[in-house]
Amino acid sequence: MRRRFGQSLRLGIAPDGLALLRVGGWPSASSVVLAVQPVEAGAPDALENGLRALLREAAAENGLRRWPLSVVLADELVRLWQVPPPAGATRPGDLQAAAALRFQSLFGAMPAPWRISADWSASQPFLAAAAPEALLALLESLAREHGFHLVEVAPQFVAALNATRRQRRPGAWFGLVHGGVLSLAAYDGVLLAAVRTAVIPDGADREWLEAHVAREALRVGVGRPERLQLSGPAPRSWASSVGRLKFACTLLEDEDAAPGWPLHALLARTGSGA
């Protein structure tokens, strides 16, 4: 398959499935689902075997060798947490040690099997993410084997957060809706205070959303936001309400942007801008 200017591949990886997309292109960007592959969640080697088969077919049968490849990991596969920098931190090693200690404190495990990345900062709390070292090593090996240029591997929430950075308004929180789960980035002024995740109950309306945001603000210890900006297929009713609104709510993506797409394809599409 001949690659047009600006085109690339995006691979979505979840515990129960994979999806490969072709995105971008000039003069108009688009997203096309190339493959969706279910995986038996939790079965030994199931994810590895699925990735091997999917990328082998993409390289050989679809002629996608040497294409740029970005990977979006489902948030169930990663860990996200806030790290307060230690007082007097001056070296990258100080921040890395603080992130590792915080990981161990929050998740009750040593961080050795995980690869940690972060928006490192010695002056303010920063967001850190950890992905399984074995999965990242597998992706790097398969990319080399099949000739893909591995550009980026990012958790879904981080991919969505980065893609909407320019759209975010002062005083706003950011949220991602995916697979019946709402993940919130709670801000204290311009600083990210916490990332909170909750299952969306059936029939959740604007009243539920307002109560949920109010509870999360109390738990985090920050004020309720002036606005909530949501990415992903959020209910349209969340953007409006009968009566007085406690905060504004903006849907950054139309829920019909990709009608009928499988959930794993939506995962892969996160942050693509196409």
Side-chain angles (χ1 to χ4, degrees), residues 105-132:
S105 172
L106 290 173
F107 304 113
M110 297 297 291
W114 300 79
R115 190 182 302 181
I116 297 175
S117 58
D119 291 328
W120 308 105
S121 173
S123 60
Q124 61 190 38
F126 55 87
L127 179 65

Side-chain angles (χ1 to χ4, degrees), residues 233-257:
R236 290 181 180 275
S237 62
W238 287 6
S240 60
S241 176
V242 178
R244 185 176 180 181
L245 301 179
K246 295 179 180 175
F247 56 83
C249 183
T250 302
L251 306 185
L252 299 178
E253 293 181 15
D254 191 322
E255 65 178 326
D256 296 323

Side-chain angles (χ1 to χ4, degrees), residues 20 37 117 136 176 183 187 190 193 200 207 229 263:
L20 185 66
Q37 184 168 316
S117 58
L136 296 178
L176 171 68
S183 299
Y187 285 85
V190 298
I200 302 171
E207 184 177 350
Q229 295 179 282
L263 188 65

Side-chain angles (χ1 to χ4, degrees), residues 36-83:
V36 176
Q37 184 168 316
V39 170
E40 185 179 354
D45 301 325
L47 194 57
E48 177 179 348
N49 293 337
L51 281 168
R52 288 187 182 279
L54 183 68
L55 293 179
R56 180 173 61 246
E57 180 177 348
E61 298 185 17
N62 294 328
L64 298 173
R65 291 180 65 89
R66 295 184 294 277
W67 277 52
L69 174 66
S70 297
V71 179
V72 181
L73 300 178
D75 289 335
E76 305 98 293
L77 293 172
V78 303
R79 301 288 184 267
L80 295 172
W81 71 104
Q82 282 290 95
V83 182

Side-chain angles (χ1 to χ4, degrees), residues 7-34:
Q7 283 187 321
S8 64
L9 301 175
R10 291 185 73 84
L11 173 64
I13 302 178
D16 60 349
L18 311 167
L20 185 66
L21 273 58
R22 184 183 72 231
V23 302
W26 188 89
S28 60
S30 62
S31 299
V32 177
V33 180
L34 300 177

